[in-house]
Amino acid sequence: MLRCCRPGPEFSGAARGDKPGSCRFSPLRGGTASLFGSDELSSSLIFKFPPNFVRQLRTKARRNCSNIGVAQIVAAKWSNGPAAGSPPLAAAQAAAAASSPADTPVELTAVDDVAVIEGCNSNGSVQKESFLNSDGSITVHAGERLGRGIVTDAITTPVVNTSAYFFKKTAELIDFKEKRHISFEYGRYGNPTTVVAEEKISALEGAESTLIMASGMCASTVMLMALVPAGGHIVTTTDCYRKTRIFIETMLPKMGITATVIDPADMEGLESALNQSNVSLFFTESPTNPFLRCIDIELVSELCHRKGALVCIDGTFATPLNQKALALGADLVLHSATKYIGGHNDVLAGCISGSLELVSQIRNLHHVLGGTLNPNAAYLIIRGMKTLHLRVQQQNSTALRMAEILEAHPKVKHIYYPGLASHPEHHIAKQQMTGFGGVVSFEIDGDLMTTIKFVDALKIPYIAPSFGGCESIVDQPAIMSYWDLSESERLKYGIKDNLVRFSFGVEDFEDVKADVLQALAAI
């Protein structure tokens, strides 16, 4: 049971120099604390921190990244009325008055897992400061400048919408700059809501650190620029997201960075590139987009590490649930969090996870380039991840069952899905994946117009880019992603006019099955 203890000199804020009404944390030994210091006080209000608060605080201090601070939000538990064994209120107030001058600042004191606030009104409001004389000043600063109320036992992570963070004194700022004080500084460098999203992804990937950015392409491009030196060399694969290929082919050469492009299964080509060039990085997707080729991550990592090359795997199609790239030997794993991680087609984000050393290098460039994720988007990522395992389980199941049906259908010419024995890397997928994902690519037995007729006959999926959300999505890559190229140019990348990419959502399997079959019957 929580109880109040006798206030002593250690509760006093005298000699701290802060103005009355400010609320601050200060550590104390012991297990209890009390609330006092207001003429209107009629009951004790006790705040209870989560049991692991101190551990989390120490963990963050050890990490000490430039943009990782202690989240300024703690759960609180209100307990109204004095607990058994507590001193009378009058005695507590008298002791407080005797131990500190009249202008003693409001003080929030943390005691192990319990904290109390001194000097606030009984309703928890912050007292008005003497320098707030006009309504204009009051509307700007009241309730915020000198201390905010603690969020009381919120289940969901609060969204911290701020572009900057303040320091109480210049000495505190200097301590922060010299790494004696942990805090946030500027919104581009970090945000408490964003940190929660990053730590959730790190836990899922088994990573030391995660950096979350404004989009998957932002994560890819910043990672490449941060880790590959000018004049460096990378190895990538033939099948990959087109915008990634464009960046590698057109932007990196301007920095003197060259690339070797190999087939996802060409390990001899990889060894040759490693022997002939000073390779800094191997970067590809697994499974790839849109043909869902699978890289032997363990073998690739072994070959690259022998030559001192890093390995980064874009695991967006796999999700962190179906594949653990870091555990397989990769140095970094990247995701377009817009897809499965967010999962609701309502947010853009990208993330990259790995060792603290590597992620910090990427983070430093990210701070310069500024592709920052909005804290509201970070909240959507946090919310979306809570159902990730449920969504992926349904999508894995629907996609595999539909792939088997499509493979046997006479109007489907070819199908690409790593869960099928006919897939060229099925044996690799079985070894390193626990599920095969929710995207199936296949070729209709027909031309461009026949395929358009099939897509238009579907009733459930949206015709749209992207994948991995709750809603099913379908598109023809020849039109959606490669329409600016001629048919012959598209064929250089293996993109045929009859290719369909189908991202299965979380709809009922029987409904999706009936819809696909009726659309096939219409052609």
Side-chain angles (χ1 to χ4, degrees):
M1 176 180 295
L2 296 175
R3 61 186 178 83
C4 294
C5 72
R6 181 178 295 105
E10 67 271 26
F11 283 78
S12 172
R16 291 189 179 273
D18 287 353
K19 292 184 178 296
S22 62
C23 295
R24 304 195 308 167
F25 291 104
S26 63
L28 281 180
R29 300 293 180 184
T32 55
S34 64
L35 173 62
F36 55 90
S38 169
D39 293 336
E40 299 176 22
L41 184 63
S42 61
S43 63
S44 294
L45 303 179
I46 298 179
F47 299 92
K48 182 174 174 61
F49 286 106
N52 62 349
F53 179 77
V54 174
R55 178 182 60 78
Q56 291 174 342
L57 193 68
R58 289 170 180 161
T59 299
K60 291 178 185 295
R62 283 196 301 270
R63 290 178 181 173
N64 201 24
C65 278
S66 58
N67 83 324
I68 294 183
V70 178
Q72 318 242 324
I73 300 162
V74 294
K77 184 175 182 64
W78 294 81
S79 175
N80 293 315
S86 62
L89 180 59
Q93 291 175 322
S99 63
S100 60
D103 62 346
T104 297
V106 176
E107 187 74 18
L108 180 60
T109 305
V111 189
D112 292 340
D113 66 342
V114 178
V116 299
I117 186 167
E118 303 175 27
C120 287
N121 295 329
S122 59
N123 61 2
S125 64
V126 178
Q127 297 174 0
K128 177 182 174 181
E129 284 303 321
S130 58
F131 65 81
L132 298 180
N133 296 317
S134 69
D135 287 347
S137 297
I138 290 172
T139 56
V140 173
H141 291 293
E144 293 184 300
R145 177 64 179 268
L146 300 176
R148 298 168 176 83
I150 297 177
V151 177
T152 58
D153 294 336
I155 293 176
T156 56
T157 298
V159 180
V160 181
N161 279 316
T162 187
S163 59
Y165 306 85
F166 71 89
F167 296 86
K168 296 181 180 69
K169 299 289 182 181
T170 301
E172 187 177 80
L173 172 59
I174 293 173
D175 284 344
F176 168 75
K177 293 294 184 179
E178 297 181 356
K179 302 188 184 303
R180 294 187 298 272
H181 173 69
I182 298 175
S183 179
F184 293 93
E185 179 185 11
Y186 184 55
R188 195 170 78 246
Y189 307 147
N191 176 279
T193 309
T194 303
V195 167
V196 173
E198 290 175 338
E199 293 189 347
K200 191 179 287 287
I201 294 169
S202 288
L204 201 56
E205 287 288 7
E208 287 183 352
S209 182
T210 291
L211 171 61
I212 193 163
M213 290 181 258
S215 70
M217 272 306 299
C218 183
S220 299
T221 56
V222 174
M223 181 276 300
L224 287 167
M225 289 189 290
L227 298 182
V228 183
H233 192 84
I234 69 169
V235 178
T236 188
T237 58
T238 51
D239 189 32
C240 68
Y241 178 51
R242 189 185 177 199
K243 293 299 188 294
T244 304
R245 181 188 294 115
I246 289 174
F247 182 78
I248 291 172
E249 293 176 348
T250 64
M251 300 304 296
L252 290 184
K254 296 179 180 180
M255 306 173 198
I257 298 172
T258 55
T260 296
V261 183
I262 63 173
D263 184 88
D266 187 5
M267 294 298 99
E268 291 183 1
L270 174 60
E271 287 189 273
S272 176
L274 290 168
N275 290 329
Q276 295 178 14
S277 304
N278 184 19
V279 178
S280 302
L281 177 73
F282 176 88
F283 176 51
T284 189
E285 304 155 6
S286 187
T288 60
N289 182 19
F291 296 112
L292 304 167
R293 301 290 299 276
C294 294
I295 309 299
D296 189 333
I297 299 174
E298 190 170 5
L299 177 58
V300 165
S301 299
E302 181 182 346
L303 294 174
C304 289
H305 291 161
R306 287 178 189 171
K307 296 293 184 176
L310 298 172
V311 175
C312 179
I313 299 296
D314 183 333
T316 302
F317 273 83
T319 79
L321 298 182
N322 287 332
Q323 180 176 275
K324 305 289 187 183
L326 298 179
L328 292 167
D331 300 286
L332 295 164
V333 59
L334 183 147
H335 292 277
S336 171
T338 305
K339 312 304 192 296
Y340 288 100
I341 290 178
H344 289 76
N345 291 318
D346 60 2
V347 64
L348 291 174
C351 62
I352 188 158
S353 305
S355 68
L356 180 59
E357 178 184 1
L358 288 177
V359 174
S360 294
Q361 292 181 46
I362 303 168
R363 194 186 301 275
N364 289 337
L365 181 58
H366 163 65
H367 288 170
V368 174
L369 297 179
T372 307
L373 187 70
N374 185 279
N376 294 281
Y379 173 81
L380 291 176
I381 295 296
I382 295 167
R383 185 200 63 178
M385 288 186 69
K386 293 179 188 294
T387 59
L388 177 61
H389 66 297
L390 301 174
R391 291 184 282 105
V392 169
Q393 182 180 17
Q394 173 73 3
Q395 289 163 314
N396 284 345
S397 174
T398 297
L400 178 58
R401 295 167 73 183
M402 285 305 307
E404 293 169 344
I405 292 171
L406 289 166
E407 187 175 41
H409 200 283
K411 293 185 179 180
V412 175
K413 190 174 183 179
H414 193 80
I415 189 162
Y416 307 91
Y417 188 67
L420 297 177
S422 59
H423 190 276
E425 283 87 43
H426 176 62
H427 63 291
I428 295 175
K430 285 197 303 181
Q431 291 175 355
Q432 66 187 27
M433 300 180 74
T434 56
F436 304 109
V439 176
V440 178
S441 295
F442 54 95
E443 295 169 3
I444 295 294
D445 189 9
D447 58 9
L448 179 70
M449 296 310 298
T450 303
T451 307
I452 290 174
K453 187 176 181 180
F454 164 73
V455 171
D456 288 349
L458 291 164
K459 296 179 172 62
I460 290 178
Y462 292 94
I463 302 173
S466 198
F467 59 89
C470 291
E471 299 88 357
S472 289
I473 286 178
V474 67
D475 76 84
Q476 278 177 268
I479 299 175
M480 185 66 71
S481 302
Y482 291 85
W483 194 241
D484 58 314
L485 303 180
S486 66
E487 183 178 358
S488 60
E489 289 174 323
R490 294 196 294 266
L491 287 174
K492 293 179 182 178
Y493 301 106
I495 305 299
K496 299 179 181 179
D497 288 346
N498 62 346
L499 179 65
V500 174
R501 191 184 72 176
F502 202 121
S503 171
F504 293 97
V506 299
E507 301 95 348
D508 183 79
F509 168 74
E510 293 298 334
D511 288 341
V512 174
K513 173 185 173 183
D515 188 33
V516 172
L517 291 179
Q518 68 82 24
L520 287 170
I523 61 176

